[in-house]
Amino acid sequence: MKNYIINALVKLWKRGSRLMIISKDEILHIANLADLNIKDDEIDEYAKNLQDILNFVNILNKVDTENVEESIGVVNNTNVFRKDEIKVFEDKDALLQNAPDQESNMFKIPKVI
Amino acid sequence: MELYELTVHELLEKLDNNEITLEDVTKSYIDRINDKEKDVQAFVSISDKEALEKVKTIKERNTKFAGIPIGIKDNICIKNTKTTCSSKMLENFVAPYNATVIEKLNEENMVYLGKLNMDEFAMGASTEYSAFKKTRNPWNLNTVPGGSSGGSAAAVAANMVPWALGSDTGGSIRQPASLCGVVGLKPTYGLVSRYGLVAFASSLDQIGPITKDVRDSAMLLNLITGHDEKDSTSANIDKKDYTKSLKEDVKGLKIGVPKEYFGEGINEEVKKSVKEAIKKYEEMGAIVEECTLDIADESLAVYYIIACAEASSNLGRFDGIRYGYRTKNFTSLKDIYKNSRSEGFGAEVKRRIILGTYVLSSGYYDAYYKKAQKVRTIIRKEFEKLFEKYDVLLTPTSPTVAYEIGTKSNNPLEMYLADLCTVTLNIAGLPGVSVPCRSRQSWYANWYAINRKTF
């Protein structure tokens, strides 16, 4: 790794306040929430990656956000309305051609109940 | 000089003077692709036959850009064409409709040369995270073209397309444009409709042009702007002609130079080139002043929290049911979801989904996501203050020059630092352009971004 990058990393790390440790259970819990499987031999790497980035983003703890409002986006808070009308997408074949499995114009999935 | 070396406005001039035909133009690019693509690997799919067929049907140039070829990043939908996002997840996905930007190019009767490679789902800064191939920087084939619009930037730089569309969530147009020595523009959030762009982080994503010069950039921007009711974040404002903003001189232009982007973490060579460019502007009569943007590092943290949170939500739609990859290994519905996603997504995409899910999960939401949104407000206000004083801000685009393929892809955090100079604008929704500040013929080039006020 080049020196200036190491320096930048060290600088950023020092500014993060607490050191995060991500446990095996925690990474499996998060992966489950995201509908992802993580293999046993991948757990350590995913946990370390998450730990690294969390330690880095902890620099935000130093920013005083007392009385600051949240920005949900950059477009000022105006609602965009439209009429509640049904618009039919005519080209059903174009949609269904991407279905991994289908029957009688419907997406097919395994039995649920 | 070969036709493929020309800019689009130069091609138009020759077409207007009947020196060349549209077929000559398309053929010139197809020959160039046949010659260069094996080295550069910029395309996911090439539509040379379709392009030639289409251009043969254009007998008269009824619109200004009729028959002009273009390349499209492979996360923008063209009807009946594969749109893969360079992911195994969408390897066989055929778009059932056109993106709004494509509808606009179709109105001009433009010709598509192919879909361009990218980091999977636009997550990356080197195009090494494509599930299909590694694109190479045309100036030095051992180095990366940048990313995520690396295919678009490399194809323009290698003259395989005259111009291209990319998308920019944290620098994905500007950074590869910088590493490949071309012009990359990220418009103001809301200026260009994102309908038909595969969503990564919806409060940050914008589509924009990658071109050989700023005149082409303004012309292509003119084509793709405009309000669209299919994208509720699209701004309802009158269309402007951006070519009118191309002025010869910068006399009296107030340029702010944030000192944070000239500190540690920025390559010396990059600093030197940008400083030379700044000096040039001063000589030309611009008023240059050093200023402070002391939320530069925090911006990167805010970006990774917000972008990954939004991505984890946006990519929830890939479940193996309606489209995209479905696992062969399942008995229950839950198996389909989990196994399709685990087999279909690459490691970097999974890393970001996991980070995004973590910062949105119960117990951490306030500490990370809400905190990032508050700092986002502070960043926006910092820019508002700076633009009371300056017309534009000038910084390097990328902290490094193009580096060797494979040297960073195993260290995610180091890869994330590539976005240091560019993400701030996305967070604030501001426009930015990266333009060359050295000769295009140098091995790799260093560029700077001009951060303008909105629209």
Side-chain angles (χ1 to χ4, degrees):
Chain A
M1 224 191 279
K2 295 209 176 69
N3 265 340
Y4 62 88
I5 293 171
I6 296 174
N7 290 340
L9 283 171
V10 170
K11 190 184 97 187
L12 292 174
W13 254 302
K14 278 186 184 157
R15 291 178 54 195
S17 54
R18 54 199 158 122
L19 209 61
M20 299 290 302
I21 304 291
I22 300 293
S23 69
K24 183 182 166 182
D25 286 349
E26 218 167 352
I27 199 85
L28 289 174
H29 167 64
I30 295 296
N32 186 48
L33 288 177
D35 273 339
L36 290 171
N37 302 317
I38 294 189
K39 292 184 198 126
D40 282 343
D41 59 345
E42 296 171 338
I43 292 175
D44 286 349
E45 206 196 324
Y46 277 106
K48 192 188 168 296
N49 290 153
L50 182 59
Q51 223 165 273
D52 283 353
I53 183 87
L54 288 175
N55 282 324
F56 162 59
V57 300
N58 274 336
I59 59 170
L60 294 185
N61 292 331
K62 300 274 172 68
V63 184
D64 179 10
T65 50
E66 188 90 24
N67 302 321
V68 177
E69 293 215 9
E70 295 153 49
S71 282
I72 291 157
V74 291
V75 178
N76 284 332
N77 304 325
T78 46
N79 266 322
V80 179
F81 293 101
R82 60 170 170 79
K83 289 212 171 102
D84 189 15
E85 285 167 348
I86 294 169
K87 283 181 189 160
V88 179
F89 189 88
E90 299 291 346
D91 198 351
K92 284 200 187 73
D93 292 341
L95 288 177
L96 282 163
Q97 70 178 334
N98 287 305
D101 198 4
Q102 55 153 310
E103 203 176 299
S104 327
N105 273 350
M106 286 181 281
F107 301 113
K108 197 172 168 187
I109 58 168
K111 204 167 147 187
V112 179
I113 307 167
Chain B
M1 197 167 195
E2 300 287 341
L3 282 186
Y4 57 69
E5 290 174 84
L6 300 177
T7 60
V8 174
H9 61 84
E10 286 164 345
L11 287 172
L12 290 175
E13 216 178 284
K14 287 198 180 298
L15 285 163
D16 288 345
N17 295 336
N18 294 319
E19 290 169 46
I20 53 171
T21 68
L22 285 174
E23 221 175 297
D24 297 337
V25 176
T26 297
K27 276 184 179 159
S28 169
Y29 283 102
I30 292 172
D31 288 347
R32 182 70 174 171
I33 291 170
N34 288 336
D35 185 28
K36 281 280 159 194
E37 174 59 6
K38 60 182 185 304
D39 294 331
V40 179
Q41 302 280 307
F43 288 85
V44 175
S45 53
I46 298 171
S47 46
D48 51 348
K49 286 188 196 75
E50 293 87 338
L52 202 57
E53 253 168 54
K54 183 167 177 187
V55 85
K56 279 180 180 164
T57 65
I58 302 171
K59 301 288 176 218
E60 258 177 280
R61 289 173 62 221
N62 293 328
T63 50
K64 188 173 174 190
F65 297 96
I68 296 293
I70 188 167
I72 306 290
K73 186 176 182 180
D74 207 15
N75 58 353
I76 297 172
C77 289
I78 304 179
K79 192 176 163 131
N80 297 330
T81 301
K82 272 191 190 174
T83 298
T84 70
C85 279
S86 291
S87 177
K88 193 179 165 191
M89 183 59 88
L90 290 174
E91 194 169 1
N92 297 309
F93 177 75
V94 178
Y97 60 88
N98 281 323
T100 296
V101 290
I102 297 298
E103 290 287 349
K104 286 175 185 289
L105 302 185
N106 283 348
E107 279 167 27
E108 286 287 329
N109 218 0
M110 282 171 67
V111 170
Y112 305 105
L113 286 170
K115 302 296 290 288
L116 295 158
N117 198 23
M118 54 190 276
D119 286 295
E120 183 178 1
F121 284 100
M123 297 176 183
S126 67
T127 314
E128 288 167 289
Y129 292 142
S130 162
F132 306 132
K133 52 168 77 169
K134 288 184 174 52
T135 298
R136 292 158 182 279
N137 192 314
W139 299 114
N140 177 351
L141 296 173
N142 295 324
T143 63
V144 299
S148 68
S149 310
S152 298
V156 174
N159 293 323
M160 292 192 286
V161 298
W163 55 8
L165 287 183
S167 69
D168 191 315
T169 305
S172 283
I173 287 174
R174 290 160 287 154
Q175 187 260 10
S178 146
L179 265 48
C180 289
V182 292
V183 176
L185 184 137
K186 178 229 168 257
T188 307
Y189 185 80
L191 186 65
V192 178
S193 166
R194 295 164 309 142
Y195 179 74
L197 169 73
V198 179
F200 163 11
S202 305
S203 80
L204 303 161
D205 298 338
Q206 265 294 285
I207 297 171
I210 295 180
T211 57
K212 287 182 199 168
D213 72 358
V214 288
R215 179 162 299 279
D216 278 5
S217 189
M219 289 195 309
L220 187 49
L221 184 63
N222 279 348
L223 288 180
I224 59 176
T225 58
H227 179 244
D228 178 17
E229 60 174 22
K230 288 177 181 149
D231 176 358
S232 63
T233 63
S234 140
N236 201 348
I237 52 167
D238 291 337
K239 265 182 92 100
K240 271 188 204 167
D241 178 1
Y242 292 94
T243 58
K244 286 190 177 147
S245 320
L246 300 167
K247 286 188 232 155
E248 292 290 321
D249 80 291
V250 292
K251 209 164 267 170
L253 186 77
K254 283 182 232 148
I255 303 177
V257 180
K259 63 175 191 297
E260 285 73 15
Y261 294 104
F262 293 86
E264 336 171 36
I266 313 288
N267 178 307
E268 290 301 324
E269 211 178 324
V270 172
K271 282 190 234 176
K272 202 175 140 232
S273 312
V274 178
K275 280 179 181 163
E276 278 168 18
I278 292 171
K279 223 175 132 204
K280 199 97 202 157
Y281 275 119
E282 270 183 317
E283 284 165 19
M284 289 166 74
I287 304 159
V288 180
E289 207 178 284
E290 193 182 76
C291 63
T292 302
L293 191 67
D294 61 2
I295 34 70
D297 293 342
E298 287 77 2
S299 294
L300 196 60
V302 168
Y303 172 76
Y304 276 97
I305 292 174
I306 290 178
C308 294
E310 292 181 12
S312 78
S313 167
N314 271 330
L315 270 59
R317 73 192 58 174
F318 298 102
D319 55 7
I321 304 293
R322 293 150 298 156
Y323 48 80
Y325 175 83
R326 178 183 286 191
T327 179
K328 292 193 170 51
N329 164 29
F330 66 89
T331 45
S332 70
L333 186 62
K334 192 74 176 168
D335 288 346
I336 289 193
Y337 296 158
K338 279 188 124 176
N339 296 344
S340 301
R341 290 166 63 77
S342 303
E343 292 162 25
F345 289 138
E348 177 61 19
V349 174
K350 285 187 226 175
R351 269 198 286 274
R352 296 203 193 193
I353 291 176
I354 285 172
L355 172 64
T357 306
Y358 182 88
V359 299
L360 289 176
S361 67
S362 160
Y364 298 104
Y365 180 86
D366 284 0
Y368 291 102
Y369 187 64
K370 213 167 164 184
K371 181 80 182 180
Q373 284 186 311
K374 286 182 176 177
V375 181
R376 188 174 195 179
T377 306
I378 294 174
I379 294 167
R380 293 173 67 192
K381 286 192 175 148
E382 285 263 335
F383 273 112
E384 277 169 28
K385 262 194 280 171
L386 283 173
F387 283 125
E388 279 169 19
K389 233 175 136 185
Y390 304 107
D391 298 316
V392 294
L393 299 176
L394 197 150
T395 75
T397 305
S398 162
T400 63
V401 292
Y403 48 86
E404 277 194 27
I405 290 170
T407 50
K408 283 191 191 180
S409 48
N410 295 326
N411 186 338
L413 197 59
E414 198 184 334
M415 189 71 94
Y416 293 174
L417 283 174
D419 297 330
L420 186 68
C421 307
T422 44
V423 292
T424 338
L425 282 194
N426 299 75
I427 291 168
L430 294 166
V433 59
S434 179
V435 291
C437 58
R438 270 197 192 170
S439 150
R440 271 183 58 196
Q441 264 64 31
S442 60
W443 278 103
Y444 39 65
N446 315 303
W447 324 108
Y448 57 86
I450 301 177
N451 308 340
R452 279 188 172 276
K453 290 179 210 177
T454 53
F455 304 119

